[in-house]
Structures are given as C-alpha cells and as structure tokens.
C-alpha cells in the first residue's frame, strides 16, 4: 500500500477564503492501496475539540454499477455515518463523517469495502464546522460518459463544498473546473482514477447552487459524490436587501387601494419581508408582509393617498425606500340595484321542473342575483340555487324536491358596492303527484335451486294480485357444448302469456335469461314451471337459480323494457361481472341476473346502490347464481347504469340486466 500524508493548518488555508468564513482545515491525510478489502489513512491528531472529520473514499469494483460499496468506516472510537454514495457506474465514490467532540490523538481511520480492489482514502478534520446538525446537504451523480459534474444548493452562508470521484475506464489526471482545487488524486495500475476536489473558496450566500465539475476527460464512466461543509456560526449579515422596484397603487372602489411591487433580493438567499408606509408617516401601514402585493382596506372615499415600501431581511437589515406611488379612491356607490321576478306568475300552480327568472339593473354593475324560496307553511326561507353572476338571471327549480303546498319566491340583487334589493314576492302552489314505482309484491315466491339431470323447475305456490307483472329470471349451469335454455314457461291457474325479454349464453358453461307475463286477474295458489330444452347437468345440485318476481305498479306491456347482456367466457375470466344498461323509463326498477361457474363462495359484493335479492351457491361444483337490484329507481332515463359485483375468485361469467317499466310510464 502506498500512503500519502498531508497535514493542513488554519494559517495555510487563509488564502482559500475558508478561514474567513469560520471554516478551516485542522488536518488532512490521504492514502492509496493497489489491492485489498480495506484502506487505512495515516495517523493524525486534532488540535481542538468539537471537530468534524470527513472521509472521502473511492474504490474499484465490478463492472456492474451498484455492486461496489464501502461497508464501514472505523477509527478514533468515533461513530462514522455514510453521508453520500455514488455507484450507479462501476466502482464507488463515498463520503462518511464523524464528530470528534474531544481532541483525538494518533487516530487511524480505516475504510472497508467489498472485494479486493484498488482504493483511495482522504480524511479531513475541520474546525469551525457545524457538528450539531449532521453537516450540510449532499448530492450524487453518475454517467456512462461525459464530463463529471454534480450540483447542490447550500443551506448556510459561508459553507464549503467538497467532492470525491471515481473513473473506472482509465487512469488519467482530472482537469477540475473553474474556482476549484484538486485535493488528492490516485492513478493505480489497474487503469482507474480516484480523486478528491473542492471549491477553492467558501460560498458566501445560502441558497446558492454550487456545481463541482471536471473539464477532462469526457469519454469515461464516472461516479461523483459531493458534500456541503456548513460553518458552525454564520457570518454576520450586514448587507441590506435590494430596494423594492416599480411600486404601483390602484384604487378599487371607494375604500380599497391595491399595492404591488417587484420582489427584492437578499444576499442570504432568503426572500425578505416588506414594510409599507402611507402618506409619509413614520408608523408603518403594515409590517412583515411576505407577498409582493398588499390591499389597503382602511382607505376613505374620495381621498388621495401616497405609499412607499421597504424590504427587511432576516438579520434586520432594511433597504432604501421604494418609489412613491399614489392613488385616489372613488366616490362611494349608495344606489341599490332594481330587481323584479318575471317567472313564474303570481298565483301559478307549478309541478315538476319549472323556470324561475328575474331581471336586474344597476347604475354601476350588478354583482349577482340570488333567488329565495319561502315555505309558507313553516315560514322558513332558503336559497334556491347558487347566486347568478350574469344575465339572464334564471334557474331551473325541481319542485318535486319540496312538499306540496304554497311557497313564496323572491330575488335579491346585489351590486359591486354591496348594495342589495329584494324583489316583490310571488306566491305559487306546488302540486306534484307521487311517482309510480314498481314494487315487489309480498306474494313473490322464494327462489328455487335447479336440481341435477332434470328437465323443469317449478316454484312453490303463490297468489299474485290483479294487474301484477310476473318476471321469471333464470341462471343455469350447462354441460360443455350443450346449450340448455328455457324452451317455455307455463303456469297453473289461468295461463299467462310468457314472453322472452333477453338471454345470454355465449360460449360453454352457463345461461342467464329473463321472461315476463302480465297477470290481469288475481290468482290463488298457482305455480310457475320453467321447461328446459335439454336436461340439466348430472352433477351435485344446485345447478342454477330460478326466481319468479311479482311486481305491482308495473306496466302491463313490458315489451318496451330495456335489456343488456355481457359475458366473460374466455381464458381465466375475472372477478368483476358487469353489465351496463341504459334504461328508457323514469322511475323504472333495474335488475340483473348473473351466473359464474368457477366460484361457489359467499363473498359476492354488489356494486354501489345495489343489493342481492336472490342467491344460490354450489360449493361442490363451485358455481354461483344470483340476482341483484339497483336500490333506487331510475332518475334520469337515457343515462347508463352499470350493474356489477366483485367475487372472491377469478371466474368466467354471464350477465343480463333489465328494467321493470312502471305503469305510469307506459
């Protein structure tokens, strides 16, 4: 191993500018090793207490970036911490630090890395450094070629930036960038370069971006790690901020003046605060203003004011006064706007969605119009919609959102000066009829599971009332390559006209379908039978879900009901059966029937505002069959609704959604 020892003192560093900033080098030693798993710097002793020790390390390593690291640094009984590592390219460049609270004597610092490689170590002991906050910031950069360069932004005035680098491709001396000094360099026979460089002088201002770079060579792979050595005590700041420029004052109305100016700068790198003065008074109008705008809300009408602004930095340094800006406030507007309701007419009876409109004018400008609604039965008033800022002043009122009865409408117009006027009220009567929504009748029989190797399924007896609509929904397993479907549906009692609304049985494995019939007269104790085109599978039952639902308030003709299908029967399927339907009738009810044939669990979770109404599962043949509903009726016909569920497994499935048309919509 070749060892190089360099010892520095404060006196030697005065020309560098570091000593004037409070930072100085107490000791500096370097060592180089051609091989081995560790490198040890020459021994040294520190001259003071509370010194910061920094180890700049470089090493050869595998050609794969990221595989070489220093595993630890020891010496002086101190706790060494990794501050920065750059090893995206081959080899590694690292910076470690330790705090020597007491003076140390004959310290030997050893850095250990993985593998037996050439390496370099430089240890520097700094006096006047910040040891309580873990030194300053650090940065790292790497590239496959190009000039080495890394940048960081300083956090304290008077800090000093150092860096360590490695070049894996060739042993060639570095040409450092301007205002920088090469501290140490090792050109081993393996064909690498390891070096340490620093900024020649400290950086005066915090918040300064400092770039450490090399001009040559530019064709090699490189890693470069940099560290800010921050001073323990900041340099006293006696420099005032720059003077604020281009102060402007603009009167807004009769009581406000808006001030704006260009930002000042400060040598600390931190934006200063501002103090504002009015009419030459020694007492500030405002202090500690962080922005470059301010609104004087204490101005009087019809008055001329003059303003100036000063910048104040964190050390209390004050800039010169800005230019003087003047503004004259306006005469106050005391004229209220005019407003009148134009719709609906006084005494009108309103239903559904009706238009509420008004006209408004002002001598300056109308700011907005707010409609008001008063329930005359409870004498309570509320806003009707949001304030309207532009003409025409009108809004749509959905009268179905309030109870039937008498209401008073009015409009409040406001101008830009805050003057308001309330219109003459208009009294209307809300007289909406309750919507007709299909509902399940209590006579609806329980669902029936499909048995094995059978050709039909029959419900339990039930008694549908007159004028009801019966829907029969089926989800069914199938044998491969056999399309078992419902051939017909029959019932006891008065035979109904059963009609197929929709069917989905793409691919192998299952079938879902929906039939309907109108029951004109009440019947007692009837049953409904679904007849299959082929027998069901000859495996452990249940093999499907047969559900007859009895609806009141449904249209006698359901042929206009919307229906939609979807399926996933290829590959492994998914765990999210979904079908999207666009209902065509207001207040319709939406249902969907599903089957899936690779999951027989109980964790079927329906979508938002949906619930399961019927479910049959087979844990032996691992199939599930179910029906679910949208809990709320259709509010906006023509708007798509997605019926969906989340399963506990990944499965193929079929889905069919349909709407139950309400009687009032037919």
């Amino acid at each position: 191993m070749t060892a190089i020892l360099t010892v520095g003192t404060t006196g030697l560093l005065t020309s560098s500018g570091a000593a004037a900033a409070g930072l100085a080098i107490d000791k500096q030693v370097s060592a180089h090793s051609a091989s081995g798993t560790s490198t040890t710097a020459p021994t040294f002793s520190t001259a003071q207490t509370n010194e910061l020790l920094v180890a700049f390390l470089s090493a050869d390593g595998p050609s794969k970036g990221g595989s070489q690291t220093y595993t630890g640094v020891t010496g002086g009984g101190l706790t060494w911490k990794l501050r920065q590592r750059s090893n995206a390219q081959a080899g590694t460049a690292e910076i470690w630090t330790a705090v020597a609270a007491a003076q140390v004597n004959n310290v030997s610092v050893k850095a250990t890395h993985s593998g037996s490689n050439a390496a370099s170590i430089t240890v520097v002991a700094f006096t006047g450094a910040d040891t309580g906050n873990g030194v300053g910031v650090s940065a790292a950069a790497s590239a496959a070629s190009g000039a080495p360069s890394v940048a960081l932004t300083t956090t304290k005035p008077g800090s000093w930036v150092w860096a360590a680098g490695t070049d894996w491709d060739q042993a060639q001396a570095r040409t450092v960038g301007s205002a920088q000094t090469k501290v140490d360099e090792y050109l081993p026979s393996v064909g690498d370069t390891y070096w340490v460089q620093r900024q020649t002088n400290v950086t005066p201002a915090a918040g300064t971006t400092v770039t450490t770079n090399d001009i040559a060579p530019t064709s090699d792979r490189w890693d470069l790690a940099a560290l800010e050595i921050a001073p323990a005590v900041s340099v006293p700041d006696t420099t005032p901020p720059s003077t604020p420029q281009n102060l402007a004052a603009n009167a807004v109305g009769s009581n406000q003046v808006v001030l704006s100016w260009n930002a000042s700068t400060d040598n600390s790198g931190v934006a200063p605060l501002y103090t504002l003065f009015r009419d030459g008074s020694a007492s500030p109008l405002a202090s500690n203003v962080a922005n470059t705008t301010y609104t004087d809300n204490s101005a009087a009408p019809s008055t001329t004011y003059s303003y100036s602004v000063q910048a104040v930095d964190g050390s209390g340094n004050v800039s010169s006064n800005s230019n003087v800006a003047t503004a004259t406030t306006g005469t106050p507007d005391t004229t209220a706007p005019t407003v009148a309701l134009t719709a609906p007419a006084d005494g009108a009876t309103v239903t559904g969605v009706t238009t509420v409109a008004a006209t408004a004018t002002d001598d300056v400008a109308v700011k907005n119009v707010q409609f008001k609604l008063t329930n005359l039965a409870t004498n309570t008033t509320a806003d009707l919609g949001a304030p309207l800022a532009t003409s025409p002043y009108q809004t749509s009122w959905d009268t179905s959102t309030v109870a039937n009865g008498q209401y008073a409408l009015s409009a409040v117009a406001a101008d830009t000066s805050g003057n308001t006027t309330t219109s003459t009220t208009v009294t209307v009567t809300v007289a909406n009829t309750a919507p007709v929504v299909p509902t399940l009748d209590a006579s609806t029989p329980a669902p029936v599971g499909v048995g094995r190797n059978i050709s039909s399924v029959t419900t339990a007896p039930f008694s549908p009332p007159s004028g009801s609509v019966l829907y029969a929904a089926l989800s069914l397993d199938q044998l491969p390559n056999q399309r078992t479907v419902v051939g017909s549906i029959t019932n006891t009692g008065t035979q109904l006209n059963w009609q197929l609304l929709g069917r989905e049985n793409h691919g192998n494995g299952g079938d879902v379908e929906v039939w309907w019939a109108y029951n004109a007269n009440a019947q007692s104790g009837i049953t409904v039978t679904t007849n299959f085109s082929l027998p069901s599978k000859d495996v452990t039952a249940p093999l499907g879900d047969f559900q007859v639902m009895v609806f009141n308030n449904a249209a006698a003709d359901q042929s206009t009901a919307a229906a939609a299908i979807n399926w996933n029967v290829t590959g492994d399927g998914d765990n999210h059966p979904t079908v999207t339907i666009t209902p065509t009738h207001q207040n319709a009810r939406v249902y969907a029937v599903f089957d899936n044939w690779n999951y027989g669990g109980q964790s079927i979770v329906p979508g938002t505002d949906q619930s399961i109404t019927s479910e049959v599962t087979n844990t032996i043949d691992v199939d599930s069959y179910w029906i679910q509903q949208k809990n709320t009726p259709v509010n906006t016909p023509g708007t798509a609704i997605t019926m969906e569920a989340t399963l506990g497994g990944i499965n193929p499935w079929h889905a069919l959604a349909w709407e139950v048309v309400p009687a009032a919509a037919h």
Side-chain angles (χ1 to χ4, degrees):
M1 178 182 75
T2 301
I4 301 173
L5 174 63
T6 304
V7 179
T9 68
T10 300
L12 293 176
L13 292 173
T14 301
S15 62
S16 74
L23 280 172
I25 297 175
D26 178 17
K27 295 295 187 300
Q28 176 181 309
V29 295
S30 296
H32 309 144
S33 57
S35 63
T37 59
S38 65
T39 306
T40 301
T43 60
F44 64 93
S45 301
T46 60
Q48 299 181 17
T49 61
N50 203 38
E51 292 195 16
L52 177 69
L53 274 56
V54 184
F56 299 92
L57 312 175
S58 301
D60 194 7
S63 60
K64 180 180 179 182
S67 59
Q68 175 64 296
T69 63
Y70 276 88
T71 57
V73 177
T74 58
L78 305 176
T79 300
W80 290 85
K81 296 180 180 179
L82 173 66
R83 293 307 313 279
Q84 188 56 259
R85 171 180 289 140
S86 179
N87 67 347
Q89 298 298 319
T92 188
E94 303 184 13
I95 303 175
W96 293 63
T97 62
V99 175
Q103 288 182 254
V104 294
N105 295 308
N106 297 321
V107 171
S108 179
V109 178
K110 176 182 177 182
T112 303
H113 52 80
S114 55
S116 179
N117 303 107
S120 173
I121 181 173
T122 293
V123 180
V124 184
F126 292 93
T127 60
D130 182 353
T131 60
N133 295 317
V135 200
V137 296
S138 62
S142 301
S145 65
S149 179
V150 63
L152 57 76
T153 301
T154 59
T155 61
K156 272 190 170 185
S159 57
W160 205 0
V161 179
W162 289 57
T166 181
D167 177 335
W168 196 81
D169 287 317
Q170 61 177 329
Q172 180 177 338
R174 305 294 100 173
T175 301
V176 300
S178 62
Q180 297 171 66
T181 300
K182 190 188 302 182
V183 176
D184 181 63
E185 185 173 65
Y186 178 37
L187 306 174
S189 60
V190 295
D192 293 349
T193 304
Y194 314 121
W195 75 98
V196 178
Q197 65 187 87
R198 61 172 171 84
Q199 298 295 315
T200 302
N201 296 309
V202 299
T203 302
T208 302
T209 299
V210 177
T211 299
T212 300
N213 68 309
D214 298 294
I215 300 172
T218 62
S219 60
D220 301 348
R221 283 171 281 187
W222 56 268
D223 293 304
L224 194 59
L227 179 68
E228 172 198 19
I229 312 298
V233 179
S234 298
V235 178
D237 178 13
T238 59
T239 304
S242 64
T243 302
Q245 301 293 319
N246 299 320
L247 174 65
N250 295 289
V252 179
S254 59
N255 296 103
Q256 288 185 334
V257 177
V258 176
L259 305 171
S260 63
W261 59 92
N262 293 346
S264 297
T265 58
D266 188 65
N267 66 319
S268 67
V270 179
L273 300 177
Y274 300 95
T275 303
L276 290 103
F277 299 90
R278 187 173 72 180
D279 293 339
S281 172
S283 298
L285 172 67
S287 302
N288 298 319
V289 177
N291 299 317
T292 56
T293 60
Y294 179 80
T295 299
D296 179 7
N297 292 309
S298 63
S302 305
T303 305
T304 299
Y305 294 97
S306 62
Y307 299 89
S308 63
V309 60
Q310 294 176 339
V312 183
D313 66 16
S315 299
N317 301 303
V318 180
S319 75
S320 301
N321 284 328
S322 70
N323 60 292
V324 175
T326 61
T328 302
T329 55
T331 301
D333 173 18
T334 59
T335 303
T338 61
V339 60
L341 274 174
T342 59
D346 189 30
T349 298
V350 293
T351 60
V353 178
T354 190
T355 298
V356 180
T359 59
T361 59
D362 187 68
D363 62 329
V364 178
V366 175
K367 180 181 180 181
N368 58 50
V369 172
Q370 174 66 67
F371 292 108
K372 300 284 186 177
L373 178 67
T374 301
N375 186 330
L376 296 180
T378 61
N379 197 30
T380 55
T381 301
D383 290 342
L384 181 60
L388 303 174
T390 58
S391 180
Y393 304 109
Q394 65 181 46
T395 189
S396 295
W397 175 28
D398 184 0
T399 63
S400 66
T401 60
V402 299
N404 288 341
Q406 284 196 319
Y407 292 84
L409 290 164
S410 61
V412 179
D415 65 15
T416 52
S417 298
N419 303 303
T420 62
T421 300
T422 302
S423 72
T424 302
T425 60
V426 167
T427 301
V428 297
T429 301
V430 175
N432 288 304
T433 57
V436 177
V437 178
T439 58
L440 272 178
D441 188 76
S443 64
T444 295
V448 183
V450 178
R452 67 188 298 173
N453 194 26
I454 61 173
S455 297
S456 64
V457 179
T458 301
T459 67
F462 64 101
S463 302
S466 61
S468 57
V469 171
L470 278 58
Y471 266 96
L474 177 78
S475 56
L476 178 69
D477 199 1
Q478 292 181 341
L479 287 169
N481 302 315
Q482 292 188 11
R483 298 294 183 87
T484 301
V485 297
V486 176
S488 64
I489 293 183
T490 58
N491 62 273
T492 59
T494 301
Q495 180 61 43
L496 305 178
N497 179 24
W498 290 93
Q499 301 180 53
L500 177 65
L501 183 66
R503 172 183 291 146
E504 162 45 36
N505 63 348
H506 280 79
N508 293 316
D511 170 55
V512 291
E513 50 186 279
V514 174
W515 296 62
W516 70 274
Y518 176 64
N519 179 58
N521 300 308
Q523 299 199 63
S524 178
I526 70 170
T527 60
V528 175
T529 300
T530 177
N531 303 291
F532 301 144
S533 60
L534 294 168
S536 61
K537 289 171 61 175
D538 189 13
V539 298
T540 302
L543 304 173
D545 180 6
F546 178 48
Q547 172 72 72
V548 172
M549 294 179 284
V550 181
F551 287 96
N552 297 317
N553 302 323
D557 182 7
Q558 294 285 313
S559 61
T560 61
I565 61 173
N566 197 14
W567 65 94
N568 187 338
V569 296
T570 59
D572 294 330
D574 61 41
N575 71 332
H576 189 201
T578 178
V579 57
T580 299
I581 182 173
T582 303
T584 57
H585 297 82
Q586 182 80 22
N587 298 317
R589 298 301 303 272
V590 175
Y591 286 79
V593 57
F594 298 87
D595 86 301
N596 96 97
W597 62 92
N598 275 334
Y599 178 69
Q602 298 296 319
S603 57
I604 299 175
V605 180
T608 302
D609 192 34
Q610 298 173 42
S611 58
I612 294 176
T613 61
S614 172
E615 181 179 357
V616 173
T617 57
N618 186 328
T619 58
I620 303 300
D621 202 35
V622 287
D623 294 335
S624 300
Y625 319 92
W626 73 99
I627 300 170
Q628 64 189 58
Q629 66 173 354
K630 192 175 189 305
N631 297 331
T632 56
V634 173
N635 182 52
T636 308
T639 300
I641 293 174
T642 298
M643 302 297 289
E644 57 188 336
T646 302
L647 310 180
I650 306 300
N651 324 284
W653 47 266
H654 299 97
L656 187 155
W658 78 97
E659 69 173 335
V660 180
V661 180
H666 179 62

